Structures are given as structure tokens and as C-alpha cells.
Amino acid sequence: MKIRAILTGATGMVGEGVLLECLSNPTVEHVLVLTRKPTGRSHPKMSELVVPDLQNLSAVESQLTGYNACFFCAGISSVGVSKEEYERITHDLTLRVGATLARLNPDLTFIYVSGVGTDSSEQSRQHWARVKGRTENELLAMPFGAAYMFRPGFMKTTEGQRNLLKWYPAIAWLYPVARRLAPKFVSTMQEVGRAMINAADYGYTKPVLEVRDIVALAHGKAAPRP
């Protein structure tokens, strides 16, 4: 199956990494980057739809049809923002976009990036973990063709990435050590992107993917043993 994907978060580190993998992967036919500001990138397989307010997609709905995957990589850190603002972006915006795409493309595979530590029970003491858990649960209840929740941890970026978190260059050297000592928390950005593409292409055995699942799926393998 050729994948026609909508991608959010391309101006962030994870979204940019996934975008680069999509552009280099022959399974992906086209990527529509849904973004609040231009990415500064161009590619024959890529188009860009700039929407200042992603909470309101009514004016561009006609441009969001004909897709069979969404790689939802948009999000913010909980550090330095109010609980209300974090919920508005992490939960409300995600669900609003998800509901619109489910209505316009009922066979679409929706893949959401949350993160290691997300709490599906919604009982964690950490506010961010509860909010992401609730977001995952509500997405899984939506009428998509399929939905997968990705929980990556520490990721090695892809060569050519421009949008790095400020602190990332200071810890990038830790990747080979962390991959060897704590592999269940570590992957490459390429593996995250490839796993998303493979999930959209032929699926996975469970809807919530931890790091070991992401790595396994990136390499075309079944779910690893617990």
C-alpha cells in the first residue's frame, strides 16, 4: 500500500525526524505537512498546509481528504506552562484534529506520539502523564481504521535535522551508552519514523507501543516478549 500521510509537528524535533524518514521511504507516496508556520523545506513528495489555528480546520477540510495515515507529532513540554495550557494543546487540539480526520477519512490510521511514562490508567501523580494517558484512551475510542499510540524515549536524531531541543546537543553523546545499557528506553528517530510507516502499512499486534515495540516494528518484527 502506498501511504498518503498527514503529518503534524514538523517544526519540532520528533515531527521533523519523522518527516525526513517519510520523504526517503518509498512506501510513502505523499506527505501533507499540517503546520502553524512554514517549515522551510520543500520536496517533490511533500506539500504544506499552513493553518494558524489547528483547533479550527473547517476552512481547509477539503484539503484533508484522500489520506490513509496521520502521524501526529505535535506537542509541547509541560515545563513552564500552566496545566490548562498543557491540556489545551496536548489533549484538546489532538482530539479536535483527530475527530476531523476520522470524519473525513474513515479508513485512516492515526498514530499519536506521547512518550515513555504515559499513564493509561490516568491515575499518575504526574499531570502530564495523566493528560497524555487520557488523550491516548480517547483517540483509541475514535472511529479510525486503526490507531496506534507511540511512546518513544531518548532518540538519536537524524542527520540533517534542524529543529533540535535546546538541551539535545549537550546529551547527544550519551546515545551509544544508553542504547547499550538501557535499550528499552532508547531508539533512533529513523526507527520511530519507520515504525510509524510500517504501522500504517501493515499494522501491529497491539495499539500502545513502548520503545521496544517501536524498534521491533521499525525492523519488521513482531511484538517482543515482555
Side-chain angles (χ1 to χ4, degrees):
M1 180 181 74
K2 289 294 183 180
I3 293 172
R4 293 179 55 82
I6 295 171
L7 184 144
T8 69
T11 57
M13 192 170 83
V14 177
E16 183 184 42
V18 173
L19 174 61
L20 291 176
E21 186 60 30
C22 287
L23 297 180
S24 67
N25 193 304
T27 303
V28 179
E29 180 179 76
H30 183 75
V31 183
L32 173 66
V33 175
L34 183 61
T35 181
R36 292 185 299 106
K37 57 184 179 181
T39 63
R41 290 189 179 275
S42 62
H43 190 279
K45 289 169 58 172
M46 169 186 163
S47 60
E48 197 168 88
L49 180 58
V50 178
V51 182
D53 181 11
L54 295 182
Q55 296 270 15
N56 184 4
L57 298 175
S58 57
V60 297
E61 285 191 0
S62 62
Q63 300 178 64
L64 301 176
T65 60
Y67 292 90
N68 53 22
C70 175
F71 303 145
F72 197 96
C73 306
I76 60 169
S77 169
S78 62
V79 178
V81 298
S82 67
K83 290 183 178 180
E84 293 76 16
E85 179 69 1
Y86 184 75
E87 291 194 26
R88 186 184 71 82
I89 295 176
T90 300
H91 174 269
D92 299 353
L93 184 149
T94 305
L95 269 293
R96 185 73 60 85
V97 173
T100 299
L101 295 183
R103 174 168 51 82
L104 297 175
N105 303 282
D107 294 327
L108 178 138
T109 296
F110 192 96
I111 300 175
Y112 172 62
V113 177
S114 54
V116 166
T118 295
D119 179 23
S120 297
S121 75
E122 305 179 35
Q123 300 300 312
S124 173
R125 293 182 179 180
Q126 300 294 322
H127 176 254
W128 72 267
R130 297 195 306 273
V131 173
K132 287 200 169 185
R134 178 157 57 98
T135 303
E136 286 186 349
N137 292 337
E138 293 182 22
L139 286 171
L140 288 171
M142 284 189 170
F144 297 113
Y148 298 97
M149 309 295 110
F150 273 45
R151 296 179 175 181
F154 178 36
M155 291 166 281
K156 178 184 178 182
T157 56
T158 300
E159 184 176 352
Q161 284 199 239
R162 307 166 184 167
N163 302 314
L164 305 182
L165 296 171
K166 291 181 179 180
W167 46 261
Y168 181 82
I171 66 167
W173 65 273
L174 288 171
Y175 170 77
V177 177
R179 184 89 187 218
R180 185 172 66 254
L181 298 180
K184 68 178 182 178
F185 297 113
V186 183
S187 69
T188 67
M189 200 71 72
Q190 287 180 321
E191 287 171 329
V192 174
R194 288 173 188 169
M196 287 188 176
I197 293 166
N198 288 344
D201 189 17
Y202 52 79
Y204 195 59
T205 54
K206 53 186 179 179
V208 178
L209 288 79
E210 303 290 350
V211 174
R212 293 175 70 242
D213 298 294
I214 292 169
V215 173
L217 181 54
H219 297 281
K221 299 178 182 178
R225 293 181 181 179

